[in-house]
Amino acid sequence: MKKSRDVLEYKTSGREKHLIYHTIALAAGFILDLIFGDPRWLYHPVCLIGNLISFLEKRIRKILPKTSSGELTGGLIEVLLVCILSFGIPGVILYSLYPKVPGLALLLESFWCYQLLATRSLKDESMRVYDRLKYGTLEEARKAVSMIVGRDTTALTEEGVTKAAVETVAENASDGVIAPMLYMAIGGAPLMFLYKGINTMDSMLGYKNDRYLYFGRCAAKLDDAANYLPSRISGGLMVLAAYFSGFDGWNAWKIFRRDSRNHTSPNSAQTESVMAGALDVQLAGNAYYFGKLYEKPTIGDPIRLIESEDIRRANRLLYATAITGVVLFLFIRIVLILCWS
């Protein structure tokens, strides 16, 4: 009986320690991201995941037949392997390090969290677009925005460039900030890596063109599922942040409720609708991808015309949303720690 009680106490203590470690890593990673962003000289783990996806795709396509069923099967195999490796490798490393050298494990997990959050880099990249709109040429602004969007930018007007930048900040407030932060809060860096693996697969394979219509279908559907709850949490947090940071919070809530489904993706319009409402502008609408025009519904009401300053405003709302999110997630984790103690 005593031995069983000792084992239970040890497991509970270990659980508490991991809750504390993950909480510290989340807070430290968030702060480091705000300070340093993504230095260009530092190799990013998402690049490693991207290389893995490309490597596996080439090998799988050589083995399986080039039929619809063969490509669906290949896409499923790709998803399974990427998910296992992106979760398993950091999981094994941290599982091995924490019992022996917890300080090193905590530093590593904090560093990974820092690398996988994108608040500062999202602001920096979008502000390059703002800088070119204000002090450069339209061609330079188009080139700058082409680095952060998937659509064709060669014919975009100044308004189109601005809208593209604001929409990217809005959408990636979920994909690049709140969603990875949420998964980090739930399961530490391994679950955060799993999410980034899924997200990266969708960005590389999830296209509805001849090459990826079948091969990328599983990746696209899994990304929709992985982002379903985070995108809605992100929308709610952004509405709160709009109130706190001096934007039109009431209109943000109204447009969020009305237009959050105005997108072919079940998730992308969640934060875009809040952003449009908070800034009192209209986003989305028709866009060109790979030379083909896609008709898309608009999001928000054109209470005023969008302007380059809205990129700065979007980033202010991004930061307010990120801070609201990390405070909420850290609070929940602290409550869990107190409950376990």
Side-chain angles (χ1 to χ4, degrees):
M1 180 67 73
K2 183 178 183 301
K3 184 177 179 181
S4 299
R5 186 166 59 250
D6 290 343
V7 169
L8 181 59
E9 288 175 356
Y10 171 79
K11 288 183 178 178
T12 303
S13 176
R15 195 179 291 117
E16 288 174 17
K17 286 179 181 178
H18 280 292
L19 279 170
I20 294 169
Y21 290 146
H22 294 329
T23 303
I24 295 171
L26 174 57
F30 179 75
I31 293 169
L32 288 170
D33 175 53
L34 293 187
I35 296 172
F36 298 110
D38 288 329
R40 295 187 181 276
W41 55 265
L42 183 62
Y43 191 77
H44 201 284
V46 169
C47 295
L48 192 61
I49 294 173
N51 291 336
L52 172 66
I53 292 167
S54 296
F55 173 83
L56 290 174
E57 180 188 352
K58 290 176 184 177
R59 298 306 182 275
I60 291 170
R61 284 185 181 277
K62 285 182 179 179
I63 296 170
L64 294 175
K66 293 177 174 57
T67 62
S68 57
S69 60
E71 295 210 343
L72 280 171
T73 302
L76 176 60
I77 293 170
E78 170 109 15
V79 165
L80 289 174
L81 290 174
V82 172
C83 286
I84 290 169
L85 292 171
S86 60
F87 177 82
I89 292 173
V92 168
I93 293 171
L94 291 177
Y95 183 81
S96 301
L97 287 177
Y98 265 122
K100 299 173 183 177
V101 277
L104 177 60
L106 178 58
L107 284 174
L108 181 60
E109 189 165 26
S110 299
F111 179 71
W112 279 341
C113 179
Y114 148 60
Q115 284 195 294
L116 295 180
L117 290 176
T119 313
R120 172 69 184 272
S121 62
L122 182 56
K123 187 207 78 169
D124 289 346
E125 292 298 326
S126 60
M127 286 304 294
R128 287 190 179 93
V129 180
Y130 171 82
D131 179 75
R132 293 300 83 203
L133 285 172
K134 294 289 286 185
Y135 308 111
T137 65
L138 179 57
E139 187 59 37
E140 289 173 337
R142 288 170 177 162
K143 184 176 181 180
V145 82
S146 72
M147 305 301 291
I148 58 174
V149 300
R151 73 190 68 176
D152 293 341
T153 63
T154 52
L156 287 181
T157 62
E158 182 174 333
E159 177 186 351
V161 170
T162 304
K163 283 176 64 176
V166 170
E167 289 164 11
T168 297
V169 171
E171 184 175 353
N172 284 280
S174 177
D175 292 1
V177 182
I178 300 299
M181 194 187 293
L182 173 63
Y183 283 109
M184 174 71 191
I186 293 170
L191 198 60
M192 196 181 195
F193 266 102
L194 174 60
Y195 171 75
K196 295 305 291 186
I198 293 169
N199 199 233
T200 307
M201 277 191 290
D202 179 61
S203 67
M204 294 178 66
L205 310 176
Y207 296 104
K208 293 181 179 180
N209 54 27
D210 292 341
R211 181 174 177 82
Y212 291 114
L213 182 61
Y214 296 105
F215 192 90
R217 184 174 298 178
C218 184
K221 294 297 183 183
L222 183 58
D223 183 73
D224 286 344
N227 280 295
Y228 188 85
L229 185 60
S231 66
R232 283 149 182 80
I233 292 173
S234 299
L237 289 171
M238 191 175 281
V239 170
L240 287 176
Y243 278 106
F244 297 153
S245 51
F247 291 100
D248 192 343
W250 171 249
N251 196 47
W253 172 244
K254 184 184 83 171
I255 302 301
F256 179 45
R257 294 184 63 192
R258 191 191 76 188
D259 292 351
S260 59
R261 294 183 179 87
N262 283 11
H263 202 285
T264 52
S265 163
N267 304 317
S268 294
Q270 301 297 320
T271 44
E272 282 188 39
S273 60
V274 180
M275 182 69 76
L279 300 183
D280 294 328
V281 298
Q282 189 173 78
L283 299 175
N286 297 348
Y288 282 90
Y289 293 86
F290 304 106
K292 183 179 179 181
L293 176 64
Y294 286 81
E295 295 186 359
K296 300 164 64 177
T298 57
I299 297 173
D301 296 323
I303 297 173
R304 62 175 182 82
L305 293 177
I306 195 166
E307 58 185 9
S308 58
E309 286 299 317
D310 285 313
I311 299 175
R312 291 172 63 94
R313 296 181 185 115
N315 281 311
R316 203 171 94 214
L317 185 53
L318 165 70
Y319 268 57
T321 303
I323 292 169
T324 303
V326 78
V327 168
L328 175 64
F329 298 147
L330 289 175
F331 174 76
I332 292 171
R333 291 196 66 86
I334 290 169
V335 170
L336 289 174
I337 291 167
L338 293 174
C339 289
W340 281 115
S341 60

